[in-house]
mmCIF file of all heavy atoms in Angstrom:
data_model
loop_
_atom_site.group_PDB
_atom_site.id
_atom_site.type_symbol
_atom_site.label_atom_id
_atom_site.label_comp_id
_atom_site.label_asym_id
_atom_site.label_seq_id
_atom_site.Cartn_x
_atom_site.Cartn_y
_atom_site.Cartn_z
ATOM 1 N N LEU A 27 -7.419 18.386 8.652
ATOM 2 C CA LEU A 27 -6.536 18.578 9.667
ATOM 3 C C LEU A 27 -5.249 17.813 9.640
ATOM 4 O O LEU A 27 -4.347 18.065 10.594
ATOM 5 C CB LEU A 27 -7.262 18.274 10.999
ATOM 6 C CG LEU A 27 -8.700 18.958 11.242
ATOM 7 C CD1 LEU A 27 -9.197 18.599 12.664
ATOM 8 C CD2 LEU A 27 -8.371 20.570 11.278
ATOM 9 N N LEU A 28 -5.000 16.989 8.770
ATOM 10 C CA LEU A 28 -3.787 16.239 8.669
ATOM 11 C C LEU A 28 -2.689 16.879 7.881
ATOM 12 O O LEU A 28 -2.988 17.881 7.063
ATOM 13 C CB LEU A 28 -4.124 14.963 8.055
ATOM 14 C CG LEU A 28 -5.124 14.054 8.745
ATOM 15 C CD1 LEU A 28 -5.425 12.765 7.906
ATOM 16 C CD2 LEU A 28 -4.686 13.709 10.173
ATOM 17 N N SER A 29 -1.489 16.716 8.288
ATOM 18 C CA SER A 29 -0.391 17.227 7.595
ATOM 19 C C SER A 29 -0.269 16.556 6.045
ATOM 20 O O SER A 29 -1.016 15.570 5.821
ATOM 21 C CB SER A 29 1.089 16.825 8.172
ATOM 22 O OG SER A 29 1.263 15.354 8.076
ATOM 23 N N ARG A 30 0.580 17.195 5.118
ATOM 24 C CA ARG A 30 0.507 16.639 3.823
ATOM 25 C C ARG A 30 1.174 15.199 3.814
ATOM 26 O O ARG A 30 0.784 14.444 2.941
ATOM 27 C CB ARG A 30 1.499 17.715 2.951
ATOM 28 C CG ARG A 30 0.720 18.806 2.571
ATOM 29 C CD ARG A 30 1.487 19.707 1.645
ATOM 30 N NE ARG A 30 2.754 20.191 2.066
ATOM 31 C CZ ARG A 30 3.662 20.800 1.439
ATOM 32 N NH1 ARG A 30 3.419 21.198 0.230
ATOM 33 N NH2 ARG A 30 4.741 21.340 2.046
ATOM 34 N N GLY A 31 2.015 14.944 4.650
ATOM 35 C CA GLY A 31 2.693 13.664 4.662
ATOM 36 C C GLY A 31 1.654 12.607 5.149
ATOM 37 O O GLY A 31 1.533 11.469 4.470
ATOM 38 N N MET A 32 0.825 12.894 6.240
ATOM 39 C CA MET A 32 -0.142 12.007 6.654
ATOM 40 C C MET A 32 -1.306 11.916 5.598
ATOM 41 O O MET A 32 -1.763 10.778 5.318
ATOM 42 C CB MET A 32 -0.907 12.498 7.953
ATOM 43 C CG MET A 32 0.083 12.464 9.167
ATOM 44 S SD MET A 32 -0.751 13.042 10.594
ATOM 45 C CE MET A 32 0.427 12.931 11.849
ATOM 46 N N THR A 33 -1.531 12.853 4.884
ATOM 47 C CA THR A 33 -2.624 12.734 3.707
ATOM 48 C C THR A 33 -2.164 11.903 2.649
ATOM 49 O O THR A 33 -2.884 11.106 2.106
ATOM 50 C CB THR A 33 -2.958 14.132 3.307
ATOM 51 O OG1 THR A 33 -3.442 14.938 4.273
ATOM 52 C CG2 THR A 33 -3.908 14.073 2.107
ATOM 53 N N GLN A 34 -0.873 11.926 2.362
ATOM 54 C CA GLN A 34 -0.119 11.162 1.313
ATOM 55 C C GLN A 34 -0.245 9.663 1.863
ATOM 56 O O GLN A 34 -0.397 8.756 0.911
ATOM 57 C CB GLN A 34 1.277 11.551 0.987
ATOM 58 C CG GLN A 34 1.878 10.853 -0.060
ATOM 59 C CD GLN A 34 1.236 11.169 -1.499
ATOM 60 O OE1 GLN A 34 0.297 11.892 -1.582
ATOM 61 N NE2 GLN A 34 1.903 10.622 -2.545
ATOM 62 N N ARG A 35 0.011 9.443 3.005
ATOM 63 C CA ARG A 35 -0.028 7.984 3.621
ATOM 64 C C ARG A 35 -1.419 7.511 3.392
ATOM 65 O O ARG A 35 -1.658 6.400 2.962
ATOM 66 C CB ARG A 35 0.536 7.856 4.946
ATOM 67 C CG ARG A 35 1.965 8.008 5.102
ATOM 68 C CD ARG A 35 2.552 8.473 6.557
ATOM 69 N NE ARG A 35 1.940 7.813 7.575
ATOM 70 C CZ ARG A 35 2.202 8.214 8.791
ATOM 71 N NH1 ARG A 35 2.884 9.386 8.986
ATOM 72 N NH2 ARG A 35 1.842 7.601 9.813
ATOM 73 N N LEU A 36 -2.397 8.286 3.728
ATOM 74 C CA LEU A 36 -3.858 7.777 3.428
ATOM 75 C C LEU A 36 -4.118 7.659 1.978
ATOM 76 O O LEU A 36 -4.906 6.642 1.727
ATOM 77 C CB LEU A 36 -4.776 8.886 4.053
ATOM 78 C CG LEU A 36 -5.056 8.853 5.616
ATOM 79 C CD1 LEU A 36 -5.927 9.939 5.879
ATOM 80 C CD2 LEU A 36 -5.660 7.437 6.039
ATOM 81 N N ALA A 37 -3.638 8.488 1.130
ATOM 82 C CA ALA A 37 -3.774 8.290 -0.366
ATOM 83 C C ALA A 37 -3.247 6.940 -0.744
ATOM 84 O O ALA A 37 -3.638 6.306 -1.513
ATOM 85 C CB ALA A 37 -3.170 9.421 -1.068
ATOM 86 N N VAL A 38 -2.007 6.554 -0.182
ATOM 87 C CA VAL A 38 -1.432 5.354 -0.547
ATOM 88 C C VAL A 38 -2.322 4.107 -0.034
ATOM 89 O O VAL A 38 -2.659 3.314 -0.824
ATOM 90 C CB VAL A 38 -0.069 5.187 0.206
ATOM 91 C CG1 VAL A 38 0.411 3.731 0.110
ATOM 92 C CG2 VAL A 38 0.916 6.087 -0.545
ATOM 93 N N ALA A 39 -2.915 4.195 1.184
ATOM 94 C CA ALA A 39 -3.856 3.319 1.685
ATOM 95 C C ALA A 39 -5.166 3.276 0.765
ATOM 96 O O ALA A 39 -5.629 2.001 0.491
ATOM 97 C CB ALA A 39 -4.308 3.632 3.119
ATOM 98 N N ARG A 40 -5.610 4.293 0.239
ATOM 99 C CA ARG A 40 -6.760 4.285 -0.625
ATOM 100 C C ARG A 40 -6.347 3.524 -1.923
ATOM 101 O O ARG A 40 -7.166 2.777 -2.440
ATOM 102 C CB ARG A 40 -7.152 5.688 -0.917
ATOM 103 C CG ARG A 40 -8.322 5.743 -2.101
ATOM 104 C CD ARG A 40 -8.430 7.172 -2.588
ATOM 105 N NE ARG A 40 -7.155 7.748 -3.016
ATOM 106 C CZ ARG A 40 -6.641 7.321 -4.109
ATOM 107 N NH1 ARG A 40 -7.123 6.366 -4.954
ATOM 108 N NH2 ARG A 40 -5.414 8.000 -4.559
ATOM 109 N N ALA A 41 -5.226 3.796 -2.566
ATOM 110 C CA ALA A 41 -4.769 3.237 -3.680
ATOM 111 C C ALA A 41 -4.725 1.766 -3.748
ATOM 112 O O ALA A 41 -4.881 1.137 -4.768
ATOM 113 C CB ALA A 41 -3.589 3.976 -4.256
ATOM 114 N N VAL A 42 -4.320 1.207 -2.646
ATOM 115 C CA VAL A 42 -3.959 -0.214 -2.603
ATOM 116 C C VAL A 42 -5.099 -0.947 -1.686
ATOM 117 O O VAL A 42 -5.108 -2.226 -1.620
ATOM 118 C CB VAL A 42 -2.634 -0.416 -1.849
ATOM 119 C CG1 VAL A 42 -1.528 0.152 -2.701
ATOM 120 C CG2 VAL A 42 -2.588 -0.148 -0.314
ATOM 121 N N LEU A 43 -6.111 -0.229 -1.300
ATOM 122 C CA LEU A 43 -7.191 -0.827 -0.533
ATOM 123 C C LEU A 43 -7.738 -2.092 -1.198
ATOM 124 O O LEU A 43 -8.003 -3.094 -0.572
ATOM 125 C CB LEU A 43 -8.197 0.151 -0.308
ATOM 126 C CG LEU A 43 -9.483 -0.165 0.466
ATOM 127 C CD1 LEU A 43 -9.156 -0.485 2.067
ATOM 128 C CD2 LEU A 43 -10.621 0.955 0.423
ATOM 129 N N HIS A 44 -8.028 -1.887 -2.447
ATOM 130 C CA HIS A 44 -8.714 -3.120 -3.214
ATOM 131 C C HIS A 44 -7.847 -4.182 -3.880
ATOM 132 O O HIS A 44 -8.252 -4.852 -4.775
ATOM 133 C CB HIS A 44 -9.630 -2.436 -4.327
ATOM 134 C CG HIS A 44 -8.987 -1.563 -5.170
ATOM 135 N ND1 HIS A 44 -8.426 -0.406 -4.768
ATOM 136 C CD2 HIS A 44 -8.746 -1.590 -6.513
ATOM 137 C CE1 HIS A 44 -7.802 0.276 -5.866
ATOM 138 N NE2 HIS A 44 -8.165 -0.453 -7.010
ATOM 139 N N ARG A 45 -6.463 -4.017 -3.346
ATOM 140 C CA ARG A 45 -5.555 -4.960 -3.955
ATOM 141 C C ARG A 45 -5.433 -4.996 -5.440
ATOM 142 O O ARG A 45 -5.709 -5.974 -6.147
ATOM 143 C CB ARG A 45 -5.821 -6.457 -3.427
ATOM 144 C CG ARG A 45 -5.727 -6.548 -1.946
ATOM 145 C CD ARG A 45 -5.880 -8.078 -1.564
ATOM 146 N NE ARG A 45 -5.610 -8.229 -0.166
ATOM 147 C CZ ARG A 45 -6.579 -8.137 0.862
ATOM 148 N NH1 ARG A 45 -7.835 -7.881 0.520
ATOM 149 N NH2 ARG A 45 -6.322 -8.382 2.040
ATOM 150 N N PRO A 46 -5.142 -3.784 -6.035
ATOM 151 C CA PRO A 46 -5.007 -3.701 -7.554
ATOM 152 C C PRO A 46 -3.927 -4.573 -8.120
ATOM 153 O O PRO A 46 -2.863 -4.739 -7.427
ATOM 154 C CB PRO A 46 -4.846 -2.231 -7.735
ATOM 155 C CG PRO A 46 -4.128 -1.628 -6.526
ATOM 156 C CD PRO A 46 -4.636 -2.554 -5.384
ATOM 157 N N ARG A 47 -4.031 -4.919 -9.410
ATOM 158 C CA ARG A 47 -2.974 -5.561 -10.064
ATOM 159 C C ARG A 47 -1.969 -4.605 -10.784
ATOM 160 O O ARG A 47 -0.797 -4.931 -10.989
ATOM 161 C CB ARG A 47 -3.595 -6.422 -11.155
ATOM 162 C CG ARG A 47 -4.358 -7.628 -10.697
ATOM 163 C CD ARG A 47 -5.232 -8.240 -11.746
ATOM 164 N NE ARG A 47 -4.223 -8.701 -12.870
ATOM 165 C CZ ARG A 47 -4.722 -9.136 -14.095
ATOM 166 N NH1 ARG A 47 -6.065 -9.123 -14.324
ATOM 167 N NH2 ARG A 47 -3.752 -9.562 -14.964
ATOM 168 N N LEU A 48 -2.548 -3.335 -11.063
ATOM 169 C CA LEU A 48 -1.673 -2.298 -11.780
ATOM 170 C C LEU A 48 -1.785 -0.988 -10.965
ATOM 171 O O LEU A 48 -2.893 -0.459 -10.726
ATOM 172 C CB LEU A 48 -2.303 -2.152 -13.190
ATOM 173 C CG LEU A 48 -1.810 -0.963 -13.949
ATOM 174 C CD1 LEU A 48 -0.275 -1.018 -14.121
ATOM 175 C CD2 LEU A 48 -2.468 -0.933 -15.406
ATOM 176 N N LEU A 49 -0.508 -0.500 -10.625
ATOM 177 C CA LEU A 49 -0.487 0.727 -9.820
ATOM 178 C C LEU A 49 0.067 1.766 -10.802
ATOM 179 O O LEU A 49 1.054 1.634 -11.441
ATOM 180 C CB LEU A 49 0.449 0.579 -8.697
ATOM 181 C CG LEU A 49 -0.034 -0.287 -7.464
ATOM 182 C CD1 LEU A 49 1.126 -0.495 -6.525
ATOM 183 C CD2 LEU A 49 -1.113 0.407 -6.784
ATOM 184 N N LEU A 50 -0.664 2.950 -10.787
ATOM 185 C CA LEU A 50 -0.312 4.199 -11.527
ATOM 186 C C LEU A 50 0.118 5.179 -10.387
ATOM 187 O O LEU A 50 -0.608 5.717 -9.756
ATOM 188 C CB LEU A 50 -1.403 4.660 -12.407
ATOM 189 C CG LEU A 50 -2.038 3.664 -13.267
ATOM 190 C CD1 LEU A 50 -3.235 4.189 -14.006
ATOM 191 C CD2 LEU A 50 -0.990 3.235 -14.334
ATOM 192 N N LEU A 51 1.545 5.442 -10.463
ATOM 193 C CA LEU A 51 2.058 6.185 -9.324
ATOM 194 C C LEU A 51 2.739 7.500 -9.831
ATOM 195 O O LEU A 51 3.806 7.385 -10.472
ATOM 196 C CB LEU A 51 3.061 5.387 -8.523
ATOM 197 C CG LEU A 51 2.724 3.928 -8.168
ATOM 198 C CD1 LEU A 51 3.794 3.109 -7.616
ATOM 199 C CD2 LEU A 51 1.559 3.995 -7.107
ATOM 200 N N ASP A 52 2.184 8.574 -9.705
ATOM 201 C CA ASP A 52 2.619 9.853 -10.132
ATOM 202 C C ASP A 52 3.249 10.564 -8.840
ATOM 203 O O ASP A 52 2.535 11.056 -7.882
ATOM 204 C CB ASP A 52 1.478 10.763 -10.600
ATOM 205 C CG ASP A 52 1.961 11.820 -11.645
ATOM 206 O OD1 ASP A 52 3.105 11.881 -11.806
ATOM 207 O OD2 ASP A 52 1.102 12.503 -12.148
ATOM 208 N N GLU A 53 4.532 10.560 -8.814
ATOM 209 C CA GLU A 53 5.300 11.187 -7.674
ATOM 210 C C GLU A 53 4.783 10.613 -6.340
ATOM 211 O O GLU A 53 4.318 11.399 -5.430
ATOM 212 C CB GLU A 53 5.091 12.826 -7.738
ATOM 213 C CG GLU A 53 5.433 13.409 -8.942
ATOM 214 C CD GLU A 53 6.957 13.561 -9.189
ATOM 215 O OE1 GLU A 53 7.826 13.090 -8.299
ATOM 216 O OE2 GLU A 53 7.435 14.040 -10.146
ATOM 217 N N PRO A 54 4.827 9.273 -6.216
ATOM 218 C CA PRO A 54 4.122 8.687 -5.064
ATOM 219 C C PRO A 54 4.768 9.064 -3.731
ATOM 220 O O PRO A 54 4.097 8.900 -2.592
ATOM 221 C CB PRO A 54 4.248 7.187 -5.338
ATOM 222 C CG PRO A 54 5.452 7.029 -6.243
ATOM 223 C CD PRO A 54 5.372 8.268 -7.044
ATOM 224 N N ARG A 55 6.025 9.431 -3.634
ATOM 225 C CA ARG A 55 6.635 9.703 -2.451
ATOM 226 C C ARG A 55 6.655 11.219 -2.095
ATOM 227 O O ARG A 55 7.414 11.577 -1.171
ATOM 228 C CB ARG A 55 8.104 9.150 -2.431
ATOM 229 C CG ARG A 55 8.101 7.559 -2.427
ATOM 230 C CD ARG A 55 9.483 6.919 -2.652
ATOM 231 N NE ARG A 55 9.361 5.461 -2.686
ATOM 232 C CZ ARG A 55 9.144 4.863 -3.863
ATOM 233 N NH1 ARG A 55 8.952 5.495 -4.936
ATOM 234 N NH2 ARG A 55 9.189 3.601 -3.912
ATOM 235 N N ALA A 56 5.875 11.978 -2.774
ATOM 236 C CA ALA A 56 5.866 13.407 -2.452
ATOM 237 C C ALA A 56 5.339 13.537 -1.243
ATOM 238 O O ALA A 56 4.476 12.892 -0.611
ATOM 239 C CB ALA A 56 4.877 14.128 -3.536
ATOM 240 N N ASN A 57 5.922 14.577 -0.462
ATOM 241 C CA ASN A 57 5.528 15.005 0.899
ATOM 242 C C ASN A 57 5.849 14.005 1.942
ATOM 243 O O ASN A 57 5.415 14.094 3.098
ATOM 244 C CB ASN A 57 4.070 15.296 1.003
ATOM 245 C CG ASN A 57 3.670 16.490 -0.091
ATOM 246 O OD1 ASN A 57 4.386 17.567 -0.212
ATOM 247 N ND2 ASN A 57 2.592 16.176 -0.719
#
């Protein structure tokens, strides 16, 4: 039910949740 922008913000939250040392970012600011 979320917009693409909101979904992308949640995807960012998921990607950094565990405090990674290496970020792999494929078009991270899309939407």
Side-chain angles (χ1 to χ4, degrees):
L27 298 182
L28 300 176
S29 69
R30 288 187 296 177
M32 289 179 178
T33 301
Q34 185 72 357
R35 282 152 60 187
L36 279 175
V38 170
R40 173 198 52 73
V42 303
L43 178 71
H44 54 298
R45 296 185 174 91
R47 292 169 58 193
L48 172 57
L49 287 171
L50 307 174
L51 307 171
D52 201 359
E53 307 282 0
R55 295 173 181 84
N57 304 315

